[in-house]
């Protein structure tokens, strides 16, 4: 039985323009008193007092600030920054005299609430590290590898800004107005230093090449997609001519203030010839892959939405008749049910508003189907509170419950039975699995360590036996590291199974052991069957596997797997 409160209907009260003016003026006065030295009327609303006290770690090249429960994130940030500092310095070959400051936030919601930084220079597009001078603003999204990418991008941007535009903010603004360095050159290099080249980057570039309607030229592609195209050009330079040539190219570009002349001096060929080679190489490669990657028409599913609105989550109903779709239009989200038999689409939930200035939060809403396919759980965040709604599709009722404050953020969830849900959530600075009871709002931690346990799903691993399959960067099923003070033991992501025995004790079993690739997004497809995403060959593929129950007491093994 579910224990929720009824969701009240919101009244659409009419308020005069004069009343709104008075309210907004009062809010501005409150905000001005809250934080000093911030322009009037531009303070952000803060829903907690964690920002009242900031602490710091200082290392050889960085000063890292953290607050509240973010101590683990602060430790991770300073270690990751020092770990990658020398590599980035050797690649760019430009040093700055002052230490780089890193401000670490627990999640993207806290970063949006921060009043630190001038508003005009605090704007960034999705996926970009926020930067002001030598200050980096990064946040933790549940994956330490993503935190590392943010820090690498920020360090690279600080070095490049100092190299091309000057050391202080005024010089930076004036130099950018007068320079002729193209966007793809700097933005692409920042992206390349941040993540080099991976399956996600390759998927994006493939999509650009296969969907671009006009005749493909470097000028057109770099103008419409400067970051990904620029990243690809730098990757092409590194693999064709060597990474050491990057620093030479940067030096000559800095001296000449002309990218085309620098390319000619370093590589001995005109800039147009090099970009033509890059264009021809990628066009031939993606054209050769096209036949293998295209789906047949009867395998395609149509979905009506606005152009360029990404889908953040998909869930099939247990009976296979419906598909729940979450799309996110720069923070304006909705959940749509698609009837797979009739093709009809029904919107069951909407939340938020469009915001093209701040980072888009793709963690919420999160969804999970009830086993009878007649109910849908929707988890979302509103004003820093996490809410759980249960939509009874048969009766048309909506029940609502406030999630306890112990959860700073929930990354994924699934249902075990009528009363129990499983969360992958951030609590006390760590990402763990929790069993959450909707009738009492009580939680039982299933894991308790520093590793990132994400993308949890309920699975019937043998007949009648239920457990949870999830992706984690733990080295194996037995290590229990609880502190980041001495090491960062994060590996690539593998799949694990968590069982709960008759005495309610959880045990973890390793399903895969891949040392150089990532296995993510496990989805149960039957009893003892699971599908997942793998980047084994540089392209994200779906693989399926069977779980062997013969070695359940020792360690589970994936006994069969195939590409799909």
């Amino acid at each position: 039985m579910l224990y929720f409160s009824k969701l009240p209907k919101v009244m659409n009260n009419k308020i005069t323009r004069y009343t709104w003016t008075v309210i907004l003026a009062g809010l501005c006065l409150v905000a001005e008193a809250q934080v000093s030295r911030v322009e009037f009327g531009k303070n952000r609303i803060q829903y907690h007092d964690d920002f009242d006290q900031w602490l710091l770690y200082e290392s050889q090249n960085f000063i890292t600030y953290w607050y509240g429960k973010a101590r683990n994130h602060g430790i991770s940030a300073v270690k990751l920054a020092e770990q990658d500092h020398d590599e980035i310095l050797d690649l760019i070959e430009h040093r700055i005299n002052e230490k780089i400051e890193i401000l670490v936030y627990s999640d993207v919601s806290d970063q949006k609430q921060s009043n630190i930084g001038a508003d005009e220079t605090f704007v960034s597009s999705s996926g970009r590290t926020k930067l002001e001078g030598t200050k980096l603003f990064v946040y933790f999204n549940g994956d330490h590898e993503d935190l590392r990418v943010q820090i690498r991008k920020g360090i690279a941007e600080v070095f490049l800004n100092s190299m091309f535009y000057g050391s202080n903010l005024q010089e930076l603004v004036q130099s950018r107005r007068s320079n002729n360095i193209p966007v793809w050159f700097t933005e692409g290099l920042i992206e390349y230093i941040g993540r080099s080249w991976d399956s996600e980057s390759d998927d994006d570039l493939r999509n650009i090449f296969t969907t671009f309607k006009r005749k493909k030229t470097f000028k057109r592609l770099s103008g419409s997609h400067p970051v990904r195209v620029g990243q690809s050009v730098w990757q092409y330079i590194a693999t064709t001519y060597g990474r050491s040539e990057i620093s030479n190219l940067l030096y000559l570009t800095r001296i000449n203030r002309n990218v085309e002349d620098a390319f000619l001096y370093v590589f001995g060929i005109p800039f147009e010839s090099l970009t033509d080679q890059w264009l021809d190489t990628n066009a031939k490669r993606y054209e050769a892959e096209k036949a293998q990657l295209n789906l047949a028409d009867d395998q395609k599913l149509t979905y009506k939405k606005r152009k360029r609105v990404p889908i953040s989550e998909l869930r099939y109903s247990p009976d296979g008749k419906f598909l729940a779709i979450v799309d996110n239009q720069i923070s304006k989200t909705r959940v749509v049910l698609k009837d797979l038999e009739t093709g009809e689409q029904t919107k069951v939930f909407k939340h938020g508003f469009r915001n093209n200035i701040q980072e888009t939060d793709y963690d919420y809403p999160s969804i999970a189907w009830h086993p009878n396919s007649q109910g849908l759980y929707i988890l979302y965040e509103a004003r820093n509170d996490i809410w759980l709604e249960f939509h009874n599709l048969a009766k048309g009722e909506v029940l609502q419950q406030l999630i306890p404050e112990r959860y700073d953020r929930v990354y994924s969830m699934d249902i075990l039975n009528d009363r129990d849900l499983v969360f992958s959530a951030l609590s006390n600075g760590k990402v763990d699995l929790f069993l959450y009871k909707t009738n009492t709002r009580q939680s039982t931690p299933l894991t308790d360590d520093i590793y990132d346990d994400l993308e949890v799903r309920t699975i019937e691993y043998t007949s009648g036996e239920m457990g949870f399959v999830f992706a984690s960067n733990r080295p194996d099923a037995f290590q229990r590291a609880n502190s980041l003070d001495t090491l960062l033991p994060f590996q690539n992501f593998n799949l694990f199974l968590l069982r709960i025995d008759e005495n309610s004790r959880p045990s973890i079993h390793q399903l895969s052991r891949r040392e150089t690739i990532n296995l993510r997004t496990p989805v149960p497809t039957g009893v003892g069957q699971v599908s997942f995403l793998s980047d084994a060959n540089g392209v994200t593929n779906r693989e399926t596997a069977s779980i062997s129950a013969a070695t359940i007491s020792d360690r589970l093994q994936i006994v069969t797997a195939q590409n799909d």
Side-chain angles (χ1 to χ4, degrees), residues 127 149 153 183-206 208 218 221-222 225-239 243 246 278 282 285-286:
V149 169
K153 289 181 183 179
V183 175
W184 70 263
F185 186 90
T186 53
E187 300 294 324
L189 181 57
I190 291 169
E191 187 72 18
Y192 171 74
I193 293 174
R195 62 195 311 160
S196 186
W197 192 256
D198 53 18
S199 60
E200 180 180 344
S201 304
D202 200 54
D203 287 340
D204 287 346
L205 189 65
R206 180 184 297 103
I208 293 170
F218 178 77
L221 292 174
S222 62
H225 305 280
V227 175
R228 191 64 70 211
V229 169
Q231 178 193 8
S232 177
V233 170
W234 288 108
Q235 167 69 9
Y236 179 78
I237 291 172
T239 55
R243 284 171 61 94
I246 293 178
W278 167 86
N282 286 286
R285 180 164 66 93
Y286 293 134

Side-chain angles (χ1 to χ4, degrees), residues 479-532:
Q479 294 196 26
R480 294 291 186 273
N482 287 290
S483 174
L484 285 165
D485 289 334
T486 57
L487 75 165
L488 285 174
F490 304 116
Q491 308 292 323
N492 56 296
F493 277 83
N494 274 287
L495 302 184
F496 295 83
L497 175 75
L498 189 145
R499 302 169 57 232
I500 301 177
D501 62 21
E502 60 275 6
N503 298 318
S504 299
R505 293 176 301 189
S507 60
I508 299 176
H509 303 266
Q510 189 163 6
L511 297 179
S512 65
R513 186 184 295 277
R514 307 286 183 88
E515 297 181 355
T516 58
I517 63 175
N518 289 291
L519 305 183
R520 302 293 299 266
T521 321
V523 177
T525 55
V527 178
Q529 300 289 323
V530 61
S531 68
F532 52 92

Side-chain angles (χ1 to χ4, degrees), residues 147-377:
L147 180 64
R148 181 185 183 187
V149 169
Q150 291 183 60
I151 293 171
R152 288 178 64 92
K153 289 181 183 179
I155 297 172
E157 187 169 3
V158 169
F159 286 157
L160 291 176
N161 283 344
S162 175
M163 173 184 288
F164 291 123
Y165 309 118
S167 58
N168 59 56
L169 187 61
Q170 183 177 359
E171 291 178 354
L172 187 151
V173 173
Q174 292 176 349
S175 298
R176 281 191 169 178
R177 289 175 179 173
S178 60
N179 86 88
N180 59 352
I181 299 175
V183 175
W184 70 263
F185 186 90
T186 53
E187 300 294 324
L189 181 57
I190 291 169
E191 187 72 18
Y192 171 74
I193 293 174
R195 62 195 311 160
S196 186
W197 192 256
D198 53 18
S199 60
E200 180 180 344
S201 304
D202 200 54
D203 287 340
D204 287 346
L205 189 65
R206 180 184 297 103
N207 187 57
I208 293 170
F209 268 77
T210 54
T211 60
F212 198 78
K213 301 299 183 182
R214 304 173 65 188
K215 181 180 179 181
K216 299 180 183 64
T217 65
F218 178 77
K219 184 177 181 180
R220 289 172 178 171
L221 292 174
S222 62
S224 59
H225 305 280
V227 175
R228 191 64 70 211
V229 169
Q231 178 193 8
S232 177
V233 170
W234 288 108
Q235 167 69 9
Y236 179 78
I237 291 172
T239 55
T240 306
Y241 300 97
R243 284 171 61 94
S244 60
E245 297 296 339
I246 293 178
S247 59
N248 296 331
L249 185 59
L250 292 176
Y251 175 76
L252 288 175
T253 303
R254 178 190 179 190
I255 298 300
N256 298 325
R257 292 287 175 174
N258 188 293
V259 172
E260 296 184 3
D261 289 346
F263 269 81
L264 180 61
Y265 293 150
V266 173
F267 303 117
I269 60 174
F271 173 74
E272 292 79 5
S273 298
L274 188 142
T275 54
D276 287 344
Q277 292 175 9
W278 167 86
L279 184 64
D280 184 63
T281 300
N282 286 286
K284 289 180 177 179
R285 180 164 66 93
Y286 293 134
E287 185 64 28
E289 296 174 349
K290 190 174 181 179
Q292 301 176 0
L293 298 176
N294 277 352
L295 294 174
D297 290 337
D298 59 351
Q299 294 179 302
K300 295 180 180 179
L301 183 67
T302 59
Y303 173 58
K304 297 178 182 179
K305 65 178 181 65
R306 291 179 180 271
K307 292 183 178 180
R308 300 184 181 88
V309 175
I311 294 174
S312 56
E313 189 171 5
L314 297 169
R315 287 285 185 103
Y316 282 99
S317 61
D319 60 10
K321 296 181 179 180
F322 293 91
L323 177 64
I325 305 169
V326 180
D327 61 28
N328 192 325
Q329 186 180 10
I330 52 176
S331 297
K332 182 180 180 180
T333 63
R334 63 176 188 165
V335 179
V336 176
L337 293 185
K338 184 176 180 65
D339 190 320
L340 299 179
E341 296 178 352
T342 65
E344 182 181 356
Q345 294 182 186
T346 305
K347 181 172 63 178
V348 297
F349 175 85
K350 66 177 181 178
H351 179 70
F353 54 89
R354 289 189 294 270
N355 184 345
N356 61 358
I357 295 177
Q358 294 181 315
E359 188 83 9
T360 301
D361 185 357
Y362 290 106
D363 290 332
Y364 297 122
S366 181
I367 56 176
W369 281 96
H370 192 277
N372 63 11
S373 299
Q374 296 298 313
L376 184 68
Y377 289 91

Side-chain angles (χ1 to χ4, degrees), residues 134-152:
T134 58
K135 295 182 177 65
L136 312 183
F137 300 83
V138 300
Y139 65 90
F140 183 65
N141 73 344
D143 184 350
H144 278 84
E145 184 59 29
D146 183 82
L147 180 64
R148 181 185 183 187
V149 169
Q150 291 183 60
I151 293 171
R152 288 178 64 92

